[in-house]
Every structure is written in C-alpha cells, then in structure tokens.
C-alpha cells in the first residue's frame, strides 16, 4: 500500500514559512495534482515527501510508516524534476539506470531489462544510445520519466515536468502520462502552477496558496463549488467575475444589488442573517448570456462592450457594468462591437457569494449535495 498522509506538515526557512500546517491524504493509486501560484509552497511540499527537505513539524506517512526521518533512497519514491536533471555526458540508457545499483539489489541484467521495458513503454527504444544534447525537449523529458519508471517506485513525484515543453508537446505528454498512470496505477503527486493542466490530469486537485492548502476535490467539484474566492478565481480561464453586492430581502427572496444590476437568488439556503451585508458576488464568464437567448422571465441588465477578444471557439467580451468590468463568453461569430450596449442575464444555477473580507464561500445557488472531501484550511 502506498497512500501518503501529511498531517500538519510545516516547513520553516528562517523567517519564511513555506508550508503551514498542511493536511492531505493521497490515496493508493491516485493521481493527485498540487496546484497554486508561484511561491505558494508546492515544490517544498513535494521535496519534503521525497525526503530532499527536512520536515520542520508534523507527520509524514507513506503506507503505514512514519517516514519523517527515513532517507530518500529508502522511501520507494521516484521524482521527476522540471529541468530533467539528466547527466549530459551519459547516454539516455545510462541516465536511466544511473544509481540503480545503490538503491536496489538488482543484477545488471535485470536493470538492463527494466531499461528496455521502460523505453518501450515511452517509445524511446531507438534513442537509448544518444546523449541528452542529441535529444529534443520532449525526448529528454521521456528519458527523465524513464529514469523514474525503471525504479518501479511505489510513489511518483513530478514537479512541473512539462513546463519546458512547447504547448503542443505538453498536451501530448499529458495524454501519455495519463495513459501511463492507467497502466501502472502508481500513486502520483504532480505539481504544476497551470490550472488547465491540473484540471485535465488530476483524479483530485489540491489547491495551495501562500503555504496553505485551500481545497482538495475532483476537478469539476472544484470548479462548481470553490470553497473560497481564491479557488474560484484561480480555477477557470478566464477567471470568475467577482463584484461587491449588497444582500437584500424582498418578498421572501434574497436579492443581490450591484451598482449595475440586481439579481434574485434562486434559493435562500445559507443566506439567513446576510440581509444588509456587503459580500462578493461571483459568476463565471460562461454563465452570463445575451438576453435574447434567455427566457422572457429572466432578470436582465445592460452592459457596455469595451473590448472584443475573438478566441476562435468563442468570443470573449469585456463589458462595463455599473462600477465594474465583467467578462462574458458569447457565440464566436457574433457581430457585437466595442461601444455597443448589450442586454445580459445570469445563469441562475451558477451564482456564488463570498464573504467580503475572508473570501470564504457563503452560497452556491445550486446547493452541493455531498462534498467529496472536507475542506482543509484554517
Ligand atoms: N531554501 C530556501 N530558503 C528560504 N526560502 C525558501 C527556500 N526554498 C524555498 N523558499 C521559499 O519558500 C516559498 C515556497 O517555495 P516553493 O519553491 O515551494 O514554491 P512553488 O510553489 O514550488 O513555486 P513555483 O511555482 O515558482 O515553483 C517561497 O516563498 C520561497 O521563496
Ligand atoms: Mg516549484
């Protein structure tokens, strides 16, 4: 069994707390993505799990054992780094098996067999005799992954392994990593700062900010039920629109009033006591629609188009609404131009409210039935 459990894990560098009381469980065989902005503590977390960084406080378990003080080579972990870390003077094959003798009892023949097997899986058999400088970025990346594969570890740790590749190759390697994981089902933690990569790869995604875990959930749940304003803004491209509103109670319903619109909230769940409060209202760009495409009964509001961004599959409009800017996704071939005034309405099933100061989610207009994971923050 190779589940990984972090309990109140802390990393302190002199005056920087890089990781603050992190609680996280990665299930046996799971592909978990750790995502967050630059400097939020992702690599530090991964390096503590690998044993490359001392743990300041808390407990780290792999399987049933506490491994806080177990040296890296005894943790049955293989790590792939962003910069590949290949030895330039060694062939791909040598790179893949380098150091194997010291971490295992395998014979030379067994190690060679494993290199062959990994090379076949990764489709790099023809490249084994080349040195890194004779390989493309994508091929180097495969050799680096191959080096992790030959060790047949119980856990894979990958730190932004695709960030040196061009966009097309990155998409291709992503698909290959998923295929590999389906075949091997090795417990994997994958670090990235790219939310798209996180959403496409993860069985579950753990979002970090400023050394703290914000939310852990399957991708769609993270998107539909962000636990706070940070997660709401970080996941999704372009970001969720967030504006200040005041909550009002009228004829038994709650209404959110903004300087440019008023919207009646479809349910009152969780809104008791909020009357008169100033909170943040959130709505994603695809959950705003031209009024002409909405039922007549929908509340609508006017917006002035300021920028038009054709993205091929859709047209992104930046609009002025009251005191704020809003982004809305519309049909790509629409002829709407900057300067036009358009009539918009919200998808009332996908509205969110966040507490103004803490940013904690107060309300999702479609209530969540059963969160898959308790939220682990503060
Ligand atoms: N050896 C160190 N000494 C002091 N501070 C460090 C050290 N290593 C990292 N830090 C700090 O710890 C914090 C977390 O760094 P970390 O490398 O884990 O971030 P990250 O999430 O991996 O970021 P990126 O996406 O840029 O790789 C940062 O503020 C960083 O400056
Ligand atoms: Mg990093």
């Amino acid at each position: 069994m190779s589940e990984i459990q972090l309990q109140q894990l802390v990393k302190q560098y002199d005056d920087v707390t890089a990781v603050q009381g992190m609680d996280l469980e990665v299930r046996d065989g799971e592909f978990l993505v750790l995502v967050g902005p630059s400097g939020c503590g992702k690599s530090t977390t991964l390096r503590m799990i690998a044993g490359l960084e001392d743990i300041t406080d808390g407990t780290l378990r792999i399987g049933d054992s506490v491994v806080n003080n177990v040296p890296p080579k005894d943790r049955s972990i293989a790590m792939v780094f962003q910069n590949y870390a290949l030895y330039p003077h060694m062939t791909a094959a040598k790179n893949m098996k380098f150091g194997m003798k010291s971490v295992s009892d395998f014979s030379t023949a067994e190690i060679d067999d494993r290199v062959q097997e990994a090379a076949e899986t990764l489709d790099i058999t023809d490249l084994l005799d080349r040195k890194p400088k004779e390989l493309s970025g994508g091929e180097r990346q495969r050799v680096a992954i191959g080096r992790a594969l030959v060790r047949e570890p119980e856990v894979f740790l990958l730190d932004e392994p695709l960030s040196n590749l061009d966009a097309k190759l990155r998409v291709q390697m992503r698909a290959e990593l998923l295929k590999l994981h389906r075949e091997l089902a090795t417990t994997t933690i994958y670090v990235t700062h790219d939310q798209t990569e996180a959403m496409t790869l993860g069985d579950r995604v753990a979002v970090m900010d400023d050394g703290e875990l914000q939310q852990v959930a399957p991708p769609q749940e993270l998107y539909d039920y962000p636990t706070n304003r940070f997660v709401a803004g970080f996941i999704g491209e372009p970001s969720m629109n967030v504006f200040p509103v005041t909550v009002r109670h009228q004829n038994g319903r709650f209404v959110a009033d903004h300087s440019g619109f008023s919207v009646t909230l479809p349910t009152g769940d969780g809104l008791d006591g909020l009357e008169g409060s100033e909170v943040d209202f959130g709505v994603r760009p695809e959950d705003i629609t031209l009024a002409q495409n909405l039922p007549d009964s929908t509340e609508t509001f006017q917006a002035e188009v300021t920028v038009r961004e054709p993205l091929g599959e859709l047209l992104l409009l930046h609009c002025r609404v009251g005191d704020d800017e809003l982004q809305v996704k519309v049909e790509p071939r629409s002829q709407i131009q900057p300067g036009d005034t358009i009539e918009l309405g919200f998808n009332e099933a996908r509205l969110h409210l966040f507490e103004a100061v803490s940013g904690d989610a107060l309300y999702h207009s479609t209530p969540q039935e059963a969160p898959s994971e308790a939220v682990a923050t503060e």
Side-chain angles (χ1 to χ4, degrees), residues 171-191:
V171 171
Q172 189 186 330
M173 283 301 291
R174 246 192 244 161
E176 287 182 24
L177 282 176
L178 279 179
K179 204 167 117 223
L180 205 58
H181 183 254
R182 257 202 315 276
E183 283 164 21
L184 305 175
T186 306
T187 310
T188 302
I189 306 183
Y190 184 103
V191 161

Side-chain angles (χ1 to χ4, degrees), residues 233-265:
F234 190 78
I235 301 291
E237 177 67 38
S239 284
M240 185 184 279
N241 297 290
V242 177
F243 319 113
V245 296
T246 307
V247 178
R248 170 165 57 96
H249 200 233
Q250 182 184 25
N251 304 332
R253 308 276 300 272
F254 288 92
V255 179
D257 287 323
H258 175 257
S259 54
F261 62 83
S262 286
V263 56
T264 304
L265 300 168

Side-chain angles (χ1 to χ4, degrees), residues 280-312:
D280 281 340
F281 171 85
V283 60
R284 294 198 182 275
E286 68 271 28
D287 292 321
I288 310 174
T289 308
L290 291 170
Q292 68 206 45
N293 300 331
L294 286 166
D296 285 344
S297 58
T298 314
E299 292 166 311
T300 62
F301 57 93
Q302 292 198 328
E304 189 194 332
V305 178
T306 52
V307 176
R308 180 180 202 274
E309 263 187 80
L311 299 177

Side-chain angles (χ1 to χ4, degrees), residues 38-39 41-44 82 159-160 191:
S38 187
K42 305 179 295 295
S43 296
T44 305
Q82 171 177 352
D159 193 352
E160 311 237 9
V191 161

Side-chain angles (χ1 to χ4, degrees), residues 74-372:
D74 298 331
R75 293 191 185 190
S76 192
I77 273 177
M79 186 150 167
V80 179
F81 299 90
Q82 171 177 352
N83 55 8
Y84 324 132
L86 298 177
Y87 296 104
H89 58 288
M90 291 183 195
T91 62
K94 279 238 172 71
N95 262 291
M96 282 166 71
K97 61 189 170 193
F98 183 77
M100 277 287 282
K101 272 285 165 76
S102 63
V103 296
S104 65
D105 300 325
F106 297 114
S107 67
T108 309
E110 278 169 330
I111 294 173
D112 285 341
D113 281 351
R114 283 187 177 212
V115 168
Q116 278 301 331
E117 212 176 300
E120 277 165 35
T121 308
L122 293 163
D123 202 15
I124 51 172
T125 311
D126 297 345
L127 309 176
L128 286 176
D129 294 330
R130 295 203 203 162
K131 291 183 178 164
K133 69 170 188 314
E134 298 160 337
L135 299 170
S136 74
E139 290 165 348
R140 274 180 225 166
Q141 193 60 66
R142 275 176 223 216
V143 174
I145 293 169
R147 184 169 48 185
L149 279 186
V150 292
R151 283 157 175 73
E152 291 184 11
E154 291 196 30
V155 175
F156 278 126
L157 302 178
L158 301 110
D159 193 352
E160 311 237 9
L162 308 185
S163 56
N164 284 348
L165 306 181
D166 66 45
K168 196 165 165 206
L169 200 51
R170 210 156 52 218
V171 171
Q172 189 186 330
M173 283 301 291
R174 246 192 244 161
E176 287 182 24
L177 282 176
L178 279 179
K179 204 167 117 223
L180 205 58
H181 183 254
R182 257 202 315 276
E183 283 164 21
L184 305 175
T186 306
T187 310
T188 302
I189 306 183
Y190 184 103
V191 161
T192 178
H193 61 266
D194 177 345
Q195 61 91 26
T196 312
E197 199 159 283
M199 295 287 280
T200 52
L201 280 175
D203 292 325
R204 288 187 307 154
V205 177
V207 184
M208 280 185 86
D209 184 34
D210 206 10
E212 288 187 59
L213 189 64
Q214 305 292 313
Q215 186 172 10
V216 190
Q220 195 65 45
E221 186 177 317
L222 211 58
Y223 192 80
D224 290 339
Y225 298 101
T227 191
N228 58 33
R229 194 172 44 208
F230 174 80
V231 176
F234 190 78
I235 301 291
E237 177 67 38
S239 284
M240 185 184 279
N241 297 290
V242 177
F243 319 113
V245 296
T246 307
V247 178
R248 170 165 57 96
H249 200 233
Q250 182 184 25
N251 304 332
R253 308 276 300 272
F254 288 92
V255 179
D257 287 323
H258 175 257
S259 54
F261 62 83
S262 286
V263 56
T264 304
L265 300 168
T267 70
D269 295 14
L271 293 175
D272 288 333
L274 281 184
E275 198 181 341
S277 319
E278 289 181 12
V279 299
D280 281 340
F281 171 85
V283 60
R284 294 198 182 275
E286 68 271 28
D287 292 321
I288 310 174
T289 308
L290 291 170
Q292 68 206 45
N293 300 331
L294 286 166
D296 285 344
S297 58
T298 314
E299 292 166 311
T300 62
F301 57 93
Q302 292 198 328
E304 189 194 332
V305 178
T306 52
V307 176
R308 180 180 202 274
E309 263 187 80
L311 299 177
E313 57 175 324
L314 57 92
L315 172 63
L316 186 68
L317 298 175
H318 300 238
C319 306
R320 184 123 208 103
V321 179
D323 299 333
D324 287 295
E325 279 282 331
L326 155 159
Q327 296 187 19
V328 52
K329 290 180 179 174
V330 300
E331 195 274 313
R333 286 159 201 91
S334 157
Q335 288 308 309
I336 297 170
Q337 298 298 332
D340 290 354
T341 296
I342 54 176
E343 188 88 13
L344 299 171
F346 296 121
N347 172 3
E348 66 164 29
R350 295 276 159 226
L351 307 177
H352 310 269
L353 295 179
F354 304 97
E355 177 160 325
V357 180
S358 70
D360 289 345
L362 295 167
Y363 174 83
H364 304 295
S365 61
T366 301
Q368 186 173 10
E369 282 180 4
S372 66

